């Protein structure tokens, strides 16, 4: 499919302070837009990032057919643009699409369109330590109709943001035992907008109580640790890496699976199993739980310092360079920057 290109008249790049990048507040010059209608993807356009105009009855706003992905691009020392495992995000995007009755996207648009977009906005990929270009592909229903049914038209868009860290300090998280994020048979594994909207109320309450994030527990019993919504959760328990198994309720995170692979390659025992909050708390108290951290594209590896449960705060040991989470962060960072050999074939060079 040919890409129509309408370049920006004058780049906005000089308006951005690359030395003080927040997460998700600045937007690169261009975006890619593909349109779906009459049962097929019709066109692909690259045009300046900017407002789009839609009807108030656009279905995605009312009934939530809206999915997204998150990826990151990095500037290598040689000046290349490297994207971390975008094929995994492509596959997951289509799983989300199927679950939400939306059309799957061809690789030619998701990865082919992204490649062209990154060639055009190459200058927006930061080269400062800790910074990257956050890539946000998303798709939403565009039919103008108030009945509840799958839309027949969709837009797929990719825009990019030069970003700094998502979390800037070790986190204080609270185990949520009242509200739920996802239930068996639901859409928790899909990256649909509603999962995030549904998480805001409980997260806001935790923040008002002085926490940064929530640990979601299973909907049926509230006994088992699930994920954090913005990232998967991982723990070092007695020298083993423990994380909840993916399924209906947990996002199959790309950083999660990368951490698991690296741990296995390093000979560390990995247990994808249910971890009860009881086991977690008693493990913190008896010292067998030595690390807790989140893993996600935006968050990368986010160490957890404090876990709140039933009104009490439990402290994890201070983060050390010899921790698994510190070492795995360094390994992932070096792979995505092209600083060490990419023996697993994870890096996609634009
Ligand atoms: C990501 O890690 O890319 C996500 O989609 C999480 C989002 C909360 C920024």
């Amino acid at each position: 499919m040919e890409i129509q290109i309408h370049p920006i008249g004058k780049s906005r790049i000089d308006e951005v302070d690359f030395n003080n990048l927040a997460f998700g507040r600045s937007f690169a010059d261009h975006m890619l837009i593909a349109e779906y209608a009459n049962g097929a993807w019709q066109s692909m356009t690259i045009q300046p990032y900017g407002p789009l105009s839609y009807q108030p009855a656009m279905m995605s706003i009312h009934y939530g057919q809206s999915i997204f992905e998150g990826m990151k691009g990095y500037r290598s020392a040689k000046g290349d643009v490297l994207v971390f495992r975008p094929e995994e995000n492509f596959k997951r995007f289509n799983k989300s699409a199927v679950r939400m009755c939306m059309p799957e996207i061809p690789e030619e648009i998701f990865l082919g369109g992204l490649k062209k977009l990154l060639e055009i906005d190459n200058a927006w990929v930061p080269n400062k330590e800790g910074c990257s270009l956050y890539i946000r592909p998303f798709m939403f229903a565009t039919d103008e109709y108030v009945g509840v049914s799958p839309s027949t038209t969709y837009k797929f868009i990719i825009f990019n943001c030069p970003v700094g860290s998502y979390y800037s300090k070790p986190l204080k998280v609270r185990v949520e035992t009242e509200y739920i994020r996802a239930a068996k048979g639901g859409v928790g594994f899909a990256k649909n907008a509603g999962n995030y909207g549904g998480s805001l109320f409980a997260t806001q309450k935790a923040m008002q109580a002085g926490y940064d994030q929530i640990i979601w527990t299973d909907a049926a019993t509230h006994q088992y640790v699930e994920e954090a919504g913005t990232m998967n959760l991982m723990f070092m328990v007695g020298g083993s890496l423990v994380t909840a198994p993916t399924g209906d309720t947990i996002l199959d995170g790309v950083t999660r699976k990368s951490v698991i692979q690296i741990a296995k390659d390093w000979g560390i025992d990995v247990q994808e199993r249910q971890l009860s909050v009881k086991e977690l708390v008693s493990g913190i108290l008896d010292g067998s739980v030595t690390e807790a951290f989140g893993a996600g594209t935006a968050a990368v590896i986010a160490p957890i310092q404090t876990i709140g449960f039933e009104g009490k705060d439990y402290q994890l040991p201070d983060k050390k360079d010899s921790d698994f989470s510190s070492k795995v962060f360094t390994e992932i960072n070096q792979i995505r920057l092209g600083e060490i050999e990419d023996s697993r074939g994870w890096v996609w060079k634009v």
Side-chain angles (χ1 to χ4, degrees), residues 84-125:
F84 189 71
R85 308 192 76 178
E87 295 92 348
E88 293 298 323
N89 298 82
F90 166 61
K91 284 189 253 168
R92 190 172 65 186
F93 191 78
N94 279 339
K95 282 189 193 154
S96 301
V98 169
R99 182 62 179 83
M100 298 303 289
C101 284
M102 301 167 88
E104 289 179 71
I105 189 115
E107 187 171 334
E108 180 192 0
I109 297 179
F110 192 99
L111 292 175
L114 174 62
K115 187 171 188 310
K116 190 75 207 163
L117 185 64
L118 292 179
E119 280 166 12
I120 292 175
D121 278 343
N122 180 304
W124 285 83
V125 181

Side-chain angles (χ1 to χ4, degrees), residues 23 68 70 134 136 166 191 196 230 296-299:
F23 186 92
F68 69 97
Y134 185 76
R136 172 50 61 89
Y166 193 80
K191 217 162 163 59
Y196 295 79
T230 51
T297 297

Side-chain angles (χ1 to χ4, degrees), residues 177-199:
T177 52
E178 182 179 359
Y179 302 102
I180 64 160
R181 175 184 173 276
K184 286 219 181 326
V187 295
F189 71 90
K191 217 162 163 59
N192 69 305
N195 284 341
Y196 295 79
S199 74

Side-chain angles (χ1 to χ4, degrees), residues 16-23 25-26 128 131 162-164:
V16 176
D17 179 0
F18 277 74
N19 290 317
N20 287 299
L21 286 172
F23 186 92
R25 300 273 183 201
S26 310
K128 197 168 174 277
C131 296
V163 297

